[in-house]
Amino acid sequence: MPIDLHRPTDRRQWLLAACAAATLPGFARAQAAGKPIKIIVPFTPGGSSDILARAIAPRLALSLGVNVIVENRPGAGGSVAGGEVARADADGTTLFMGHLGTLAVNPAIYPRLAYDPLRSFAPVAYVARVPNVLVVPTASPIRSFQDFIRSARAQPGRITYSSGGNGSAAHITMEYLKLSARIFLLHIPYRGTAPSINDLIASQVDTTFTGATAVLSHVRAGRLRALAVGSAQRIPALPDVPTVAESGFPGFEADQWYGLMAPAATPAAVVSRINAEVNRAMALPEVAEQFNREGAVAVPTTPMAFGELIRREIPRWAEVVKAGNVKSD
């Protein structure tokens, strides 16, 4: 049916479309050419980055009027995907699901990083904060956080821990705990969070300290036991699990955080529109419920506030990398 601009509903739809086309030429061209918006996840499927990206992608597709797809591009601790997005067209059609590791840790690990987290990207939206959870297999004789610390101190280097790779958030979080508790554990890096957790469930490794999003379902199913959380407060999903801070290490805080980035030259109007739609998506009851179920805390805020978080976190984690002598793969 042709649009009749004399009909109020048609005129309103036409005006909305015209405004979108005027302020968001990248989206308008993408829609006309059938070009989707891509959210590049720098890790294998199954980790927190992937789960969060797939939670918001369909809602962005509805609100922006274009296809939004999630693509997994693992490699070099997320550096491969980061470099690809940094070089992409700055029209809002290529986004990067950045996080603690790719944006705050990698600059200290990779001497020739393919991107600069502060110069190569425009912060778009702070998506979520995900508390880290220290877990062991249910078959483990370690029953509590105090058991874990005692065992680690009694058997230096005998306890193994898995991560999604050298320099990953799980790796750097455990290094932070090792430094804080003065313990020594043996790191077993994997190519992705999912395989590292699978081997943990099978008791091929002893523990991991990774995002709640990736382990909560296994804790609820009885495959893993949660010993402590790295956040400043206990989390609603695990109300009986203490924080590391209250378990003898005051001041300890290690959350993972995730957010969307765009190539640096992306127009401010595009960044603002995507930010608004991401914040709106996270306020939807079904998205909020999914985040809560996965142990993620939505953090709706401005692109500027997200950029300030990144600036604060880079020097903080550079100290941990140096003290723990963390190296890339």
Side-chain angles (χ1 to χ4, degrees):
M1 180 183 296
I3 292 177
D4 182 356
L5 295 182
H6 295 288
R7 278 204 302 267
T9 55
D10 283 8
R11 185 165 63 250
R12 185 163 56 250
Q13 290 176 356
W14 181 86
L15 286 171
L16 288 171
C19 289
T23 59
L24 303 171
F27 294 145
R29 286 195 303 271
Q31 194 169 28
K35 181 181 179 183
I37 293 174
K38 295 186 294 185
I39 300 178
I40 306 298
V41 173
F43 303 106
T44 54
S48 300
S49 297
D50 184 67
I51 291 169
L52 294 171
R54 294 181 190 279
I56 63 173
R59 281 81 184 184
L60 285 181
L62 285 174
S63 60
L64 295 173
V66 296
N67 289 329
V68 179
I69 61 176
V70 176
E71 293 187 1
N72 298 86
R73 303 284 180 82
S79 299
V80 171
E84 178 181 328
V85 175
R87 296 187 297 271
D89 292 339
D91 58 3
T93 62
T94 304
L95 303 174
F96 179 54
M97 181 56 87
H99 87 312
L100 166 72
T102 51
L103 297 175
V105 175
N106 281 0
I109 294 178
Y110 295 91
R112 287 182 289 276
L113 196 60
Y115 59 87
D116 183 309
L118 299 178
R119 295 188 180 93
S120 300
F121 303 115
V124 175
Y126 189 173
V127 173
R129 177 175 59 82
V130 175
N132 287 298
V133 183
L134 181 69
V135 290
V136 295
T138 51
S140 171
I142 297 175
R143 312 292 300 181
S144 67
F145 181 74
Q146 286 73 22
D147 283 348
F148 171 77
I149 296 297
R150 281 194 294 268
S151 296
R153 287 175 174 167
Q155 306 174 78
R158 293 288 300 276
I159 294 178
T160 59
Y161 77 94
S162 66
S163 80
N166 285 322
S168 65
H171 182 194
I172 203 73
T173 300
M174 191 66 92
E175 288 300 319
Y176 179 36
L177 178 60
K178 285 169 57 180
L179 292 168
S180 300
R182 297 185 179 182
I183 56 177
F184 176 59
L185 312 173
L186 181 62
H187 179 215
I188 309 296
Y190 286 74
R191 293 190 178 277
T193 300
S196 81
I197 292 172
N198 289 339
D199 267 13
L200 175 64
I201 292 170
S203 296
Q204 298 301 306
V205 288
D206 298 314
T207 185
T208 194
F209 201 178
T210 194
T213 305
V215 298
L216 269 182
S217 63
H218 301 298
V219 172
R220 291 176 178 132
R223 291 184 287 268
L224 295 175
R225 178 184 303 121
L227 304 179
V229 295
S231 50
Q233 294 85 33
R234 296 191 184 196
I235 62 176
L238 297 169
D240 297 327
V241 177
T243 67
V244 172
E246 71 180 278
S247 302
F249 301 94
F252 185 97
E253 185 175 356
D255 289 334
Q256 296 188 27
W257 44 261
Y258 300 80
L260 293 175
M261 310 289 280
T266 303
V270 173
V271 169
S272 179
R273 174 68 189 282
I274 300 174
N275 174 269
E277 296 303 339
V278 170
N279 289 346
R280 188 173 293 117
M282 291 190 298
L284 294 172
E286 62 269 26
V287 176
E289 181 182 347
Q290 183 175 357
F291 273 36
N292 288 336
R293 189 167 61 248
E294 301 291 353
V297 180
V299 191
T301 189
T302 64
M304 182 178 296
F306 183 37
E308 290 170 354
L309 169 72
I310 297 168
R311 288 183 184 277
R312 290 196 307 270
E313 290 283 87
I314 289 173
R316 177 193 176 195
W317 292 103
E319 292 181 6
V320 175
V321 168
K322 183 178 180 180
N325 194 30
V326 177
K327 303 294 183 182
S328 61
D329 290 318

